[in-house]
């Protein structure tokens, strides 16, 4: 799938009053200084690697390093921040620069792999590795970027035959805009759920920066679909309502051609919406605003941003054909999930119905009966289109695209769109699990919506089982934070052609805390 689908004649429409509001809500980052807790050895296991504790951190001060030597430090948990350390020389006077490589990784796999062997199709520049010359020792070395990592390896490319290096005062200034003090203690005696909740909260914490980032290692930006799930989880954990508000104002203040909410936004070098448009992500603005109002009751924001939500509906409705069904495309026009070969038409249709119902509700909150009636009619129209063209009564499943593809994502989204009553939704979900279509779910993003469909339709036990097996699977592998992509059957799965570039702390994966706190305890 070509993901370089810039929209033609892209231009950004700026609403300065919205951007100003967003900027006024810019959070302060808090900083904590974290030191490594131990030295580890990265050990191969088949194609994968583990980090085995070797010595305690104090052992570092007794070591010196020459050509080809290395050491791997473990910070004890996931960090997002700025790293510095002191390098000194020992032996004869320093007669040549020190030349070192620093590598940082969120999981042991990144530490074990040689980055030169990277074979993915998105930029290698995300891999966290620095090559540095240090002319004069001793020196305090400050690494140039913000990193997301647990492990840091120092590898000495060269010193000289006459001196070696010592390393001390290794510290990470870890940053976040999340305030852990606002997370209420979880009342559960279930250690597995407690662990999953803790990992979720840590994932959220690492992704909460000046905006809700999707992943602090990659792409480090605000994606609309990710934001929607982060915001939901945030309402049940860190409760930073202003950060959600800020992100909503950014999306509304920096739209694309025709007022479309972009798929993602950059903060630097200036506030800028990206030129990628995704059908479902634009509609997620509607959902995110709806959730925000439900969580806060902030009517002023609802009133001010509702027109932006309405514009997304309008633009999406224009994508319907004569039969009331969203036109399918060959490009990367809609996200849904990274599932291989997933056709997006049915999922997109369901998301449109889902968003129309939320728009109707928002119009009612704003006491605009005329609009409420209009969105109701549009939801009916899109439902009729779906039932006549996408519903296959014989198999009892929704099909998608020209070839009538049968996927998990399409069924899940139609359940969420509530085109049936609860009983039929339950039957559809159970049939889906039984038949297990070949086009599977690939990411925690899609698994979230599956779990949500189950929870919302009273299938709490199956939802809980999904959380225990799927997110619990990552926890059992020792995850500090939840991964962008997780396939229990293939630990090397990656939508980008190489697991190395996957993000191992990803916002859209941090939602179990939402389920646990909203539905389970
Ligand atoms: C990837 C990231 C991001 C997501 C987009 C669609 O680049 O994982 O979080 O929203 O895909």
């Amino acid at each position: 799938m070509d993901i370089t689908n810039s929209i033609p004649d892209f231009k950004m429409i700026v609403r300065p009053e919205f951007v100003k509001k967003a900027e006024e809500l810019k959070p302060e980052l808090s900083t904590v200084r974290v030191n490594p807790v131990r030295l580890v050895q990265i050990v191969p296991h088949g194609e994968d690697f583990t980090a085995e504790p070797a010595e305690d951190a104090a052992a570092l001060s007794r070591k010196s390093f020459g050509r080809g030597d290395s050491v791997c430090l473990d910070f004890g948990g996931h960090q997002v921040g700025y790293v510095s350390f002191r390098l000194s020389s020992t032996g004869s006077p320093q007669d040549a620069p020190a030349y070192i490589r620093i590598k940082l990784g969120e999981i042991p796999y990144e530490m074990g792999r040689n980055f030169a062997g990277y074979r993915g199709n998105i930029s290698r520049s995300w891999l966290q590795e620095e090559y540095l010359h240090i002319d004069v020792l001793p020196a305090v070395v400050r690494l140039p970027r913000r990193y997301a990592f647990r492990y840091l390896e120092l590898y000495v490319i060269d010193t000289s035959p006459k001196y070696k290096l010592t390393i001390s005062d290794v510290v990470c200034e870890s940053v976040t805009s999340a305030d852990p003090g606002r997370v209420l203690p979880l009342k559960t005696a279930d250690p597995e759920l407690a662990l999953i909740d803790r990992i979720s909260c840590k994932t959220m914490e690492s992704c909460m920066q000046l905006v809700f980032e999707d992943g602090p290692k990659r792409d480090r930006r605000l994606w609309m679909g990710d934001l929607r799930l982060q915001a939901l989880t945030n309402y049940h954990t860190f409760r930073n309502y202003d950060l959600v508000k800020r992100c909503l104002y950014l999306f509304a203040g920096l739209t694309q051609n025709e007022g479309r909410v972009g798929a993602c936004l950059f903060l630097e070098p200036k506030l800028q919406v990206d030129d990628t448009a995704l059908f479902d992500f634009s509609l997620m603005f509607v959902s995110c605003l709806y959730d925000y109002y439900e969580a806060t009751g902030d009517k002023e924001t609802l009133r001010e941003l509702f027109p932006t939500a309405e514009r997304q509906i309008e633009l999406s409705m224009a994508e319907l054909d004569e039969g009331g069904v969203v036109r399918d495309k060959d490009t990367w026009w809609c996200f849904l999930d990274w599932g291989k070969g997933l056709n997006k038409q049915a999922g997109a249709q369901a998301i449109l119905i889902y968003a129309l119902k939320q728009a109707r509700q928002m119009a009612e909150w704003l006491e605009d009966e005329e609009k409420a009636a209009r969105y109701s009619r549009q939801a009916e129209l899109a439902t009729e289109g779906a039932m006549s063209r996408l519903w296959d009564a014989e198999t009892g499943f929704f099909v998608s695209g020209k070839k009538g593809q049968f996927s998990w994502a399409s069924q899940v989204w139609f359940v969420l769109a509530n085109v049936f009553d609860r009983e039929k939704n339950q039957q559809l979900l159970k049939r889906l699990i039984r038949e297990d279509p070949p086009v599977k779910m690939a990411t925690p993003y899609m698994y979230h919506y599956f779990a949500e469909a189950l929870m919302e339709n009273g299938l709490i036990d199956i939802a809980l089982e999904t959380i225990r097996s799927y997110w619990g699977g990552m926890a059992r592998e020792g995850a500090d934070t939840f991964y962008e992509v997780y396939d229990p059957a293939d630990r090397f799965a990656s939508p980008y052609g190489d697991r190395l570039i996957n993000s191992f702390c990803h916002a859209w994966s941090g939602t179990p805390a939402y389920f646990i706190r909203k539905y389970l305890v």
Side-chain angles (χ1 to χ4, degrees):
M1 181 59 66
D2 180 11
I3 55 167
T4 54
N5 65 330
S6 316
I7 57 174
D9 306 319
F10 168 70
K11 68 172 195 302
M12 175 161 79
I13 302 170
V14 182
R15 299 276 305 263
E17 70 287 11
F18 285 179
V19 176
K20 185 165 170 271
K21 272 207 175 159
E23 286 298 72
E24 282 165 5
L25 295 165
K26 191 192 246 176
E28 292 278 326
L29 297 180
S30 62
T31 304
V32 184
R33 291 170 66 84
V34 182
N35 301 109
V37 294
R38 63 181 75 86
L39 313 190
V40 290
Q41 199 115 42
I42 302 296
V43 182
H45 283 277
E47 304 260 294
D48 209 348
F49 298 87
T50 55
E52 308 295 339
E55 292 171 83
D56 63 30
L60 191 58
S61 62
R62 301 190 290 272
K63 294 185 183 294
S64 60
F65 304 92
R67 178 192 288 180
D69 293 336
S70 68
V71 62
C72 186
L73 308 177
D74 176 2
F75 280 69
H78 193 263
Q79 311 297 326
V80 178
Y82 302 88
V83 174
S84 63
F85 49 86
R86 170 176 281 270
L87 274 189
S88 309
S89 68
T90 164
S92 298
Q94 184 195 4
D95 58 339
Y99 187 28
I100 60 172
R101 184 190 71 199
I102 302 288
K103 189 169 155 181
L104 303 101
E106 295 178 309
I107 62 165
Y109 182 70
E110 293 161 284
M111 307 313 288
R113 275 276 305 274
N114 181 345
F115 289 177
Y118 174 63
R119 46 176 190 272
N121 48 32
I122 56 174
S123 180
R124 181 184 156 176
S125 62
W126 290 115
L127 300 180
Q128 305 177 106
E129 185 175 52
E130 309 294 347
Y131 286 83
L132 303 168
H133 288 86
I134 300 105
D135 288 315
V136 182
L137 295 169
V140 174
V141 178
R142 285 180 205 287
L143 298 184
R145 305 176 61 217
R146 196 199 70 190
Y147 304 90
F149 71 104
R150 171 170 172 173
Y151 303 101
L152 178 153
E153 181 205 64
L154 166 100
Y155 172 76
V156 179
I157 300 169
D158 218 341
T159 50
S160 90
K162 297 186 65 177
Y163 81 95
K164 286 189 170 192
L165 292 174
T166 60
I167 174 168
S168 60
D169 303 328
V170 187
V171 63
C172 174
E173 290 184 17
S174 293
V175 288
T176 179
S177 57
D179 175 1
R182 288 187 58 79
V183 182
L184 299 175
L186 184 72
K187 293 194 201 82
T188 177
D190 183 323
E192 186 177 44
L193 285 189
L195 174 65
I196 293 174
D197 180 78
R198 199 157 60 241
I199 301 173
S200 287
C201 291
K202 183 65 191 166
T203 308
M204 285 288 290
E205 189 182 323
S206 286
C207 293
M208 286 170 75
Q209 300 293 335
L210 293 177
V211 290
F212 283 99
E213 292 185 11
D214 63 329
K217 165 183 152 184
R218 203 216 82 240
D219 312 330
R220 302 165 56 148
R221 75 193 65 146
L222 177 60
W223 282 88
M224 191 58 239
D226 303 59
L227 168 63
R228 200 265 163 140
L229 297 192
Q230 282 168 299
L232 276 179
T233 310
N234 170 60
Y235 302 140
H236 294 270
T237 54
F238 294 94
R239 294 177 293 143
N240 188 340
Y241 304 104
D242 278 354
L243 193 60
V244 181
K245 185 171 171 184
R246 162 169 159 81
C247 295
L248 283 169
Y249 271 98
L250 283 174
F251 273 116
L254 303 160
T255 52
Q256 302 175 331
N257 307 34
E258 308 167 290
R260 191 184 303 275
V261 166
C264 66
L265 280 178
F266 302 99
L267 300 188
E268 286 177 314
K270 59 166 187 151
L271 293 172
Q272 167 80 57
V273 65
D274 189 28
D275 59 3
T276 305
L278 294 170
F279 183 90
D280 53 340
F281 274 30
S282 300
L283 288 172
M284 281 300 152
F285 182 88
V286 180
S287 305
C288 197
L289 182 60
Y290 171 93
D291 302 334
Y292 173 79
Y293 180 73
E294 263 209 317
T296 62
D298 175 356
K299 208 162 232 171
E300 195 189 316
T301 300
L302 177 66
R303 201 178 297 284
E304 201 158 41
L305 296 185
F306 188 51
T308 307
E310 290 190 277
R311 184 67 185 136
Q312 308 319 304
I313 298 274
E314 219 177 325
L315 290 165
S316 306
M317 287 301 290
E319 296 293 320
L320 297 187
D321 63 17
E322 325 68 53
V325 175
V326 178
R327 276 182 215 96
D328 196 12
K329 297 194 183 89
D330 293 329
T331 56
W332 193 49
W333 63 282
C334 177
F335 176 63
L336 291 191
D337 194 17
W338 281 125
K340 266 199 206 98
L342 174 64
N343 182 281
K344 314 292 171 76
Q345 187 186 33
Q349 181 82 9
I351 291 178
L352 176 57
I353 298 168
Y354 178 83
L356 278 164
K357 292 181 176 175
Q358 291 173 328
R360 180 192 52 74
Q361 180 60 63
M362 287 193 274
E364 268 172 24
W365 284 331
L366 292 169
E367 285 149 43
D368 191 330
E369 293 308 324
E370 203 185 307
K371 278 186 179 166
R374 187 198 319 149
Y375 292 128
S376 235
R377 273 196 309 279
Q378 291 184 343
E380 275 162 31
L381 186 85
T383 305
E384 279 160 26
M387 292 314 292
S388 72
R389 295 251 308 278
L390 304 175
W391 174 247
D392 179 348
E394 214 165 289
T395 57
F397 288 114
F398 287 92
V399 292
S400 183
K402 274 200 283 298
K403 296 190 183 146
Q405 183 190 77
F406 169 30
S407 70
W408 279 79
S410 304
Q411 319 311 317
V412 166
W413 271 111
F414 270 107
V415 169
L416 288 165
N418 273 324
V419 294
F420 298 133
D421 59 22
R422 173 181 268 233
E423 202 189 318
K424 281 199 174 147
N425 275 344
Q426 290 187 348
Q427 288 164 0
L428 176 52
L429 285 165
K430 288 184 180 163
R431 204 158 48 239
L432 169 66
I433 296 167
R434 206 171 48 239
E435 300 288 320
D436 187 13
V439 183
K440 311 252 186 268
M441 299 182 283
T443 63
Y445 179 74
M446 195 57 227
Y447 270 86
H448 166 91
Y449 285 112
F450 175 50
E452 180 80 322
L454 291 164
M455 293 281 194
E456 282 295 303
N457 287 283
L459 298 175
I460 307 285
D461 290 350
I462 309 179
L464 179 56
E465 185 38 44
T466 304
I467 292 170
R468 289 194 196 280
S469 66
Y470 189 69
W471 283 275
M474 287 184 253
R476 284 186 290 278
E477 281 186 12
D480 297 299
T481 47
F482 288 125
Y483 309 160
E484 173 185 23
V485 181
Y486 178 64
D487 177 353
D490 175 12
R491 60 198 298 108
F492 299 102
S494 172
Y496 317 110
D498 192 330
R499 184 191 187 202
L500 255 191
I501 205 78
N502 291 2
S503 151
F504 297 97
C505 171
H506 215 68
W508 70 22
S509 315
T511 64
Y514 156 80
F515 291 120
I516 293 169
R517 287 161 186 266
K518 179 173 175 185
Y519 299 97
L520 299 173
V521 297

